[in-house]
Amino acid sequence: MLSVDGLLEKAVAGGRLTPEEGLRLLESHHLAALGRAADEVTRRLHAENYRTYNIDRNINYTNVCTAVCDFCAFYRRPKSPEGYVLTHEEIFDKIDETVALGGDQILLQGGLHPDYKIEWYEELLRAIKGRFPQVNIHGFSPPEIYHFTKVSKLPLREILERLKAAGLGSLPGGGAEILVDRVRAAITRGKVMTDDWLNVSRVWHQLGGRSSATMMFGHVETLAERIEHLERLRQLQDETGGFTAFICWTFQPDHTDMADTPPAGSFEYLRTNAVARLYLDNIPNIQSSWVTQGQKIGQLALLYGANDMGSLMIEENVVAEAGTVHHLTLQQIKDSISELGYVPRQRNVHYQLIDEGSEVESLHPHSRHNLHPLPVVS
Ligand code: SF4
């Protein structure tokens, strides 16, 4: 059996960790050693002199939701007087502001609304693309897509094909929490379970689409279940190659039904981020989660496996409802990158550089880790 140092050497050299080996690393308290190894892997995958960020706006088109997630402070039950659905005009105003700030994308997500069939979402996508053809719609996480199949009583593939035809550009990997049914059953009701979450991503990838993958940890899961989550993502990525990036963050308990859960700290965040970089050898990009960790730890994540500062996040209602108060300006994001000796560069959802003066350029077009190149879709 390899020592922790031996396992780190194996991962740095490009060896694939087994679930048992991943778990041993996640149990390790050698944070500095984990960070050093994760950073070596990051620099092997991203030898460039820059680190990236994105500018987009999180538009939560409704907070009405039929599901009950104990960790969520954002949703309102159907018929709640505090429920809302944004009008097209309200959404257009938010996109106007995003474009004015240099953004090229919106993150369009909402609760699981009981009334709207697929036509409602198609109409919304077409309205947005008609007015803002240049803006990528990164929209509808797997729980929403799965919910659409139930409300519309249509097969998953048809739902995704119709959304794509109406202008959906890419899929955010939200609502994954921990992709283990024991955990999901303990903290959610009325929401997609593990196999169906993965299947939404699978079919989207089969249609040529790209999506991200996420993990919210630090609640009722065990460390072994965190590794199981990473393993399921790695397996699907072997199959489709459609995940562009992985983002993990710690559960934010304030104002939720799980408010007495002790929050996972920075040590736990950095350790998990580093192990994710070492374990997910086929997912090219890892984003820092400064929204939940703040600027300093968000910056440190760039030395613990992340190669991207994530989005400027012009609006982030879901985490804000849970009491997280971290807001960064564009300059602070750029400073976080440049203080580490890297050039800050703006990218799009496909991790192509789009800042002024740059040709649209893939960050790692020839990376041997980009095992399943797919056509860029937007
Ligand atoms: S996390 Fe999403 S699915 Fe769960 S209650 Fe909140 S809005 Fe609804």
Side-chain angles (χ1 to χ4, degrees):
M1 187 192 281
L2 290 172
S3 64
V4 166
D5 284 345
L7 293 176
L8 294 177
E9 277 174 30
K10 173 182 171 178
V12 167
R16 175 163 277 200
L17 297 169
T18 66
E20 295 71 28
E21 291 171 340
L23 180 57
R24 282 182 54 219
L25 292 183
L26 203 49
E27 288 169 343
S28 165
H29 292 281
H30 299 299
L31 183 61
L34 290 173
R36 236 185 351 259
D39 194 41
E40 282 196 49
V41 171
T42 308
R43 284 187 281 113
R44 167 160 55 78
L45 297 175
H46 301 278
E48 311 86 9
N49 68 342
Y50 51 79
R51 291 294 179 252
T52 46
Y53 64 90
N54 185 26
I55 299 178
D56 72 3
R57 178 169 202 152
N58 191 3
I59 300 178
N60 298 121
Y61 56 90
T62 182
N63 64 349
V64 175
C65 191
T66 56
V68 176
C69 298
D70 296 337
F71 55 84
C72 178
F74 168 71
Y75 78 100
R76 296 294 180 270
R77 299 293 292 163
K79 299 194 173 37
S80 161
E82 293 175 351
Y84 74 78
V85 179
L86 296 181
T87 64
H88 285 195
E89 284 308 319
E90 286 170 322
I91 291 174
F92 292 162
D93 286 349
K94 290 173 186 289
I95 303 175
D96 268 330
E97 289 171 17
T98 309
V99 170
L101 284 166
D104 74 322
Q105 174 173 288
I106 55 164
L107 171 55
L108 187 66
Q109 298 187 111
L112 311 183
H113 199 288
D115 299 335
Y116 300 141
K117 295 197 167 153
I118 186 67
E119 291 78 11
W120 189 88
Y121 301 96
E122 288 177 309
E123 200 179 309
L124 175 60
L125 291 171
R126 289 208 171 94
I128 294 171
K129 289 304 271 190
R131 187 122 158 198
F132 304 95
Q134 80 283 20
V135 169
N136 179 55
I137 304 174
H138 189 52
F140 308 134
S141 57
E144 291 166 271
I145 300 281
Y146 181 75
H147 176 72
F148 301 166
T149 69
K150 298 296 166 201
V151 176
S152 294
K153 298 187 174 54
L154 287 171
L156 172 61
R157 185 171 293 268
E158 181 179 338
I159 290 283
L160 288 170
E161 282 171 344
R162 286 176 62 167
L163 293 174
K164 192 164 186 255
L168 183 62
S170 50
L171 229 61
E177 288 85 55
I178 294 289
L179 291 169
V180 175
D181 280 354
R182 183 200 76 80
V183 176
R184 302 184 78 73
I187 59 176
T188 73
R189 283 160 296 287
K191 190 173 181 177
V192 67
M193 298 299 266
T194 301
D195 287 347
D196 286 315
W197 189 100
L198 291 163
N199 205 37
V200 171
S201 304
R202 174 183 290 109
V203 175
W204 177 248
H205 297 168
Q206 288 169 351
L207 294 173
R210 292 289 187 109
S211 66
S212 53
T214 65
M215 176 168 78
M216 183 191 73
F217 64 94
H219 38 90
V220 304
E221 87 286 0
T222 64
L223 294 184
E225 286 166 336
R226 254 183 242 176
I227 293 294
E228 189 176 335
H229 177 104
L230 298 179
E231 175 63 20
R232 295 298 302 269
L233 293 178
R234 194 171 72 177
Q235 284 174 5
L236 182 57
Q237 183 74 341
D238 276 345
E239 186 185 326
T240 68
F243 288 125
T244 54
F246 173 79
I247 312 113
C248 67
W249 63 87
T250 54
F251 166 53
Q252 304 296 305
D254 289 354
H255 310 304
T256 74
D257 290 345
M258 297 166 70
D260 55 355
T261 305
S266 307
F267 182 100
E268 197 54 34
Y269 168 69
L270 291 173
R271 174 165 68 174
T272 303
N273 201 67
V275 171
R277 178 62 289 169
L278 297 169
Y279 199 85
L280 296 172
D281 57 358
N282 54 2
I283 296 186
N285 301 291
I286 295 206
Q287 289 183 23
S288 155
S289 179
W290 59 262
V291 176
T292 57
Q293 303 302 313
Q295 182 177 8
K296 289 300 167 198
I297 300 301
Q299 179 188 44
L300 265 187
L302 291 179
L303 301 177
Y304 281 77
N307 61 290
D308 182 272
M309 275 298 277
S311 171
L312 176 61
M313 286 270 190
I314 297 167
E315 188 171 2
E316 174 39 301
N317 291 324
V318 179
V319 177
E321 288 279 347
T324 302
V325 291
H326 301 298
H327 298 286
L328 295 190
T329 63
L330 183 55
Q331 193 55 48
Q332 285 174 310
I333 287 181
K334 289 181 175 181
D335 289 348
S336 301
I337 294 172
S338 52
E339 280 171 18
L340 297 177
Y342 291 109
V343 179
R345 301 290 303 269
Q346 187 184 349
R347 55 129 182 118
N348 65 16
V349 72
H350 302 294
Y351 286 77
Q352 296 165 317
L353 300 178
I354 55 167
D355 44 0
E356 211 166 290
S358 76
E359 297 290 316
V360 170
E361 175 191 339
S362 173
L363 296 190
H364 37 76
H366 307 301
S367 166
R368 66 193 174 89
H369 293 271
N370 197 358
L371 297 175
H372 306 272
L374 290 174
V376 168
V377 290
S378 59

